[in-house]
């Protein structure tokens, strides 16, 4: 079953894995739009997602291609929104209802299912504030995949590694079927 999926790419080193997720979703026949935080563009370029989706990735909240607003038009009729990597900042913005960038504003506009794939340093993941935000999002019916235990970009081992693309794809398919 083909679905309309919006992928919000957060500003973390794990953003490179999202390219594989987007590519595989498109290969499976899904319509995929990508929105990126400014931080995400420091790790992977919009051109990557534009090439994979066949239409431009959106970075600017006020992109003139969307007269009603990118957050409204991209969220409209979306079956699912994936936020990956879901950084500590994105988790906080979404849990608090802040519309402080395109991805968090899209989250607030999205009426479809939401899946988050957290990724951050293990000390950050373990902070009480981050765990409160995760608990709030779970209460708000957000689904999660990961994080995983493993080697982190900070050269430590711990819990905070973003789930692998195949795990994310499996979680997406399960959510779409439910």
């Amino acid at each position: 079953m083909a679905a309309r999926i919006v992928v919000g790419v957060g500003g973390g080193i794990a953003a490179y894995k999202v390219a594989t997720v987007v590519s595989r979703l498109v290969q499976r026949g899904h319509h995929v739009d990508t929105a990126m935080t400014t931080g995400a563009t420091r790790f992977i370029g919009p051109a990557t997602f534009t090439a994979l989706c066949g239409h431009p990735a959106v970075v600017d909240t006020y992109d003139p291609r969307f007269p009603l607003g990118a957050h409204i038009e991209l969220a409209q009729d979306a079956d699912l929104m994936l936020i990956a990597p879901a950084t500590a900042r994105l988790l906080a913005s979404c849990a608090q209802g802040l519309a402080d960038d395109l991805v968090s504003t899209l989250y607030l506009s999205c009426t479809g299912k939401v899946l988050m794939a957290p990724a951050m340093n293990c000390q950050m993941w373990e902070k009480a504030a981050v765990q409160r935000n995760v608990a709030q999002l779970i209460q708000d019916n957000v689904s999660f995949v990961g994080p995983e235990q493993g080697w982190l970009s900070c050269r430590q081992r711990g819990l905070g590694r973003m789930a692998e693309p195949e795990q994310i794809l499996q979680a997406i398919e399960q959510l779409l079927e439910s």
Side-chain angles (χ1 to χ4, degrees), residues 12-18 43 84-85 119 162:
I13 189 68
Y16 78 92
K17 292 181 181 181
V18 182
F43 294 96
M162 191 170 89

Side-chain angles (χ1 to χ4, degrees), residues 37 83 86-105 107-108 116 129 133-134 136-137 140:
T37 65
I83 299 178
T87 61
R89 192 199 61 74
L90 276 172
L91 292 172
S93 291
C94 293
Q96 304 297 317
L98 300 177
D100 56 358
D101 67 9
L102 176 57
V103 173
S104 60
T105 306
Y107 165 78
L108 292 174
M116 294 191 181
N133 290 331
V134 170
Q136 180 61 57
L137 290 164
D140 295 343

Side-chain angles (χ1 to χ4, degrees), residues 6-177:
V6 177
V7 177
V9 186
I13 189 68
Y16 78 92
K17 292 181 181 181
V18 182
T20 300
V21 173
V22 167
S23 177
R24 299 239 174 93
L25 288 170
V26 171
Q27 290 172 40
R28 293 177 183 185
H30 299 296
H31 174 87
V32 180
D33 287 301
T34 52
M36 302 175 71
T37 65
T38 303
T41 65
R42 307 278 235 156
F43 294 96
I44 189 166
T48 300
F49 294 108
T50 297
L52 293 172
C53 293
H55 48 274
V58 184
V59 178
D60 182 5
T61 301
Y62 304 102
D63 188 317
R65 291 174 296 158
F66 303 96
L68 299 177
H71 65 289
I72 300 294
E73 293 186 44
L74 291 175
Q76 211 166 38
D77 302 320
D79 298 300
L80 184 136
M81 180 178 190
L82 167 67
I83 299 178
T87 61
R89 192 199 61 74
L90 276 172
L91 292 172
S93 291
C94 293
Q96 304 297 317
L98 300 177
D100 56 358
D101 67 9
L102 176 57
V103 173
S104 60
T105 306
L106 256 167
Y107 165 78
L108 292 174
S109 298
C110 188
T111 59
K113 296 174 182 180
V114 178
L115 176 65
M116 294 191 181
M120 65 196 73
N121 169 277
C122 51
Q123 283 83 13
M124 292 171 72
W125 177 252
E126 293 169 2
K127 281 289 188 225
V130 171
Q131 291 306 307
R132 277 194 305 273
N133 290 331
V134 170
Q136 180 61 57
L137 290 164
I138 290 169
Q139 187 178 336
D140 295 343
N141 294 317
V142 171
S143 296
F144 282 81
V145 57
E148 303 298 320
Q149 189 86 17
W151 181 255
L152 305 171
S153 65
C154 60
R155 293 166 183 71
Q156 294 179 347
R157 290 192 177 278
L159 188 58
R161 182 179 175 86
M162 191 170 89
E164 293 301 320
E166 285 307 318
Q167 293 171 282
I168 296 170
L169 289 162
Q170 188 175 49
I172 288 169
E173 294 300 339
Q174 288 173 347
L175 275 174
L176 290 173
E177 290 171 7

